[in-house]
Amino acid sequence: SYPREHSQEFTMSRLISLIAIAALFQSAFAARFLHFASPLQSLTLPDAEVKETLQTKRQGFLSKYRAGLQAEADKRRELATKRTKDLQDAAISGDNWAENVKSRQLSRRALEEKLAEEAHDKAVAQVEGPKPAGKSSNKYQFVGVVNRQGDKPITWFARPKPEESKWSVRLVHVNRDAIIKDLYNQGKVDIFAKYKNTGKIDEETNAPIVTSTYDVKERGWRNLWNFSPKHFFTDPSGMYWRERRLRPGLYTDGLSVYESSYRYSDGRNGMRRVSGFQQFIASKSVKGEQKQQILKKLKEAEPDVVLEL
């Protein structure tokens, strides 16, 4: 009996593993088609002629919900009075009174649910909706786009107003960072960064101050989809999810000294702290010329590796 039980356990474990793998693959496949819309925050100012007649969805829902429940309760109360009389008539209807009561209960329940539902729907339909709005005399709609980084804080645009429109002024705040991130995830743009060493040192952290400049370029046939032969032959690591290995050696940010490491199992770079920067400079194992080169590079050279959080 032991080999049979063992084979059953092995089969169940394999089945559970296959189910887990299938569920994981299905969730990953569905996540590929999940897109988040870029956020656009807007503020719409309705026309003065229609502002008093506007009704929110919450207000309309509560009034209809209250009317429907009241009509349904009244109808069920009315049917309850008739139910007692019908059961009494069935109970005195001869020898088969038990079967008659049971059959009438089944038919009565279905009829009561139908009548209560009809009363509810009728009451909801009779609830008075929003009053007809007046018509504004404005012939144009004005849209202001908020741009805090530009010379003008708000840029205005105008268009002919549609006949059924109820607003004339709208402010739109565009989250540029979120839109660029969305376009980058869809593969429509590339982001290029340049880092410059200012030669200054932060007084609090005693680390060099590095400034960054970003440039967004759209992918297209005119620029060959931002193709770069240099990056094609130097950056690829064999698989798109694997990181290109950093040059082996020591790195510093002005505070600590790190040694580069690489994990081949999943293709990820890492930094292992060796010592503090001041301890490294004061060490006798470092020659004087190397110390001067390191200090000069911290003040003038561009960073070799940048980690942005």
Side-chain angles (χ1 to χ4, degrees):
S1 61
Y2 175 77
R4 183 178 180 182
E5 294 178 355
H6 182 70
S7 61
Q8 290 179 354
E9 293 178 358
F10 179 74
T11 305
M12 288 299 297
S13 62
R14 291 184 61 185
L15 179 60
I16 294 174
S17 301
L18 290 176
I19 294 175
I21 293 174
L24 181 62
F25 177 79
Q26 185 177 5
S27 61
F29 183 76
R32 292 176 55 188
F33 298 94
L34 182 63
H35 297 283
F36 293 93
S38 301
L40 296 176
Q41 301 175 357
S42 62
L43 174 63
T44 304
L45 304 179
D47 296 330
E49 292 79 3
V50 301
K51 186 176 181 180
E52 297 180 356
T53 60
L54 291 178
Q55 187 182 36
T56 62
K57 293 183 179 180
R58 181 181 178 86
Q59 294 173 349
F61 169 77
L62 290 176
S63 59
K64 293 181 180 180
Y65 186 72
R66 188 186 303 110
L69 287 181
Q70 185 64 35
E72 183 178 352
D74 295 342
K75 192 64 176 179
R76 291 186 182 276
R77 195 177 299 110
E78 179 184 353
L79 294 174
T81 57
K82 297 181 179 180
R83 184 191 316 161
T84 305
K85 186 176 182 305
D86 293 342
L87 292 177
Q88 290 177 354
D89 295 340
I92 59 175
S93 60
D95 298 334
N96 299 330
W97 62 270
E99 296 180 359
N100 296 333
V101 170
K102 184 178 180 180
S103 61
R104 287 197 180 185
Q105 279 185 342
L106 296 176
S107 60
R108 175 185 52 79
R109 289 176 183 176
L111 181 60
E112 285 184 359
E113 292 296 331
K114 182 179 179 181
L115 294 176
E117 185 178 354
E118 291 178 354
H120 178 277
D121 296 342
K122 184 177 180 181
V124 170
Q126 291 179 353
V127 174
E128 184 179 1
K131 300 178 181 179
K135 191 173 183 180
S136 176
S137 59
N138 299 330
K139 297 182 180 180
Y140 295 91
Q141 286 181 331
F142 299 92
V143 179
V145 180
V146 180
N147 184 12
R148 298 181 179 178
Q149 301 177 356
D151 298 335
K152 297 181 179 180
I154 300 178
T155 305
W156 291 97
F157 301 90
R159 69 172 186 179
K161 185 177 181 180
E163 295 182 359
E164 299 180 356
S165 182
K166 300 178 182 179
W167 62 272
S168 298
V169 180
R170 173 176 291 174
L171 291 176
V172 179
H173 180 266
V174 182
N175 193 337
R176 293 177 177 270
D177 297 337
I179 292 177
I180 293 175
K181 179 66 167 58
D182 187 41
L183 294 175
Y184 176 77
N185 292 339
Q186 296 181 15
K188 296 182 179 180
V189 297
D190 287 321
I191 302 175
F192 298 87
K194 292 184 179 180
Y195 302 96
K196 182 180 179 181
N197 191 346
T198 60
K200 301 179 182 180
I201 298 178
D202 191 354
E203 297 179 355
E204 296 182 358
T205 61
N206 199 24
I209 299 177
V210 179
T211 59
S212 57
T213 305
Y214 301 94
D215 187 16
V216 180
K217 295 183 180 180
E218 185 180 2
R219 291 182 182 180
W221 63 270
R222 295 183 179 180
N223 55 9
L224 296 179
W225 293 273
N226 296 326
F227 176 77
S228 174
K230 177 183 176 181
H231 294 167
F232 180 78
F233 289 103
T234 59
D235 285 351
S237 59
M239 297 292 181
Y240 71 92
W241 62 79
R242 300 180 66 88
E243 297 178 355
R244 179 173 62 90
R245 184 181 180 184
L246 297 177
R247 186 185 308 172
L250 298 178
Y251 294 83
T252 181
D253 57 354
L255 299 177
S256 303
V257 178
Y258 304 90
E259 182 181 5
S260 63
S261 61
Y262 191 77
R263 194 165 54 205
Y264 289 92
S265 59
D266 54 356
R268 291 290 183 268
N269 288 295
M271 290 287 180
R272 183 174 62 87
R273 188 178 184 276
V274 178
S275 66
F277 180 72
Q278 297 298 333
Q279 297 176 355
F280 180 79
I281 292 296
S283 177
K284 297 181 180 180
S285 60
V286 183
K287 298 181 180 180
E289 297 180 356
Q290 293 180 349
K291 294 180 182 179
Q292 296 298 327
Q293 292 178 358
I294 293 173
L295 294 175
K296 184 179 179 180
K297 190 173 183 180
L298 283 175
K299 292 182 180 179
E300 299 177 359
E302 297 180 356
D304 299 319
V305 180
V306 178
L307 177 61
E308 294 192 1
L309 301 177

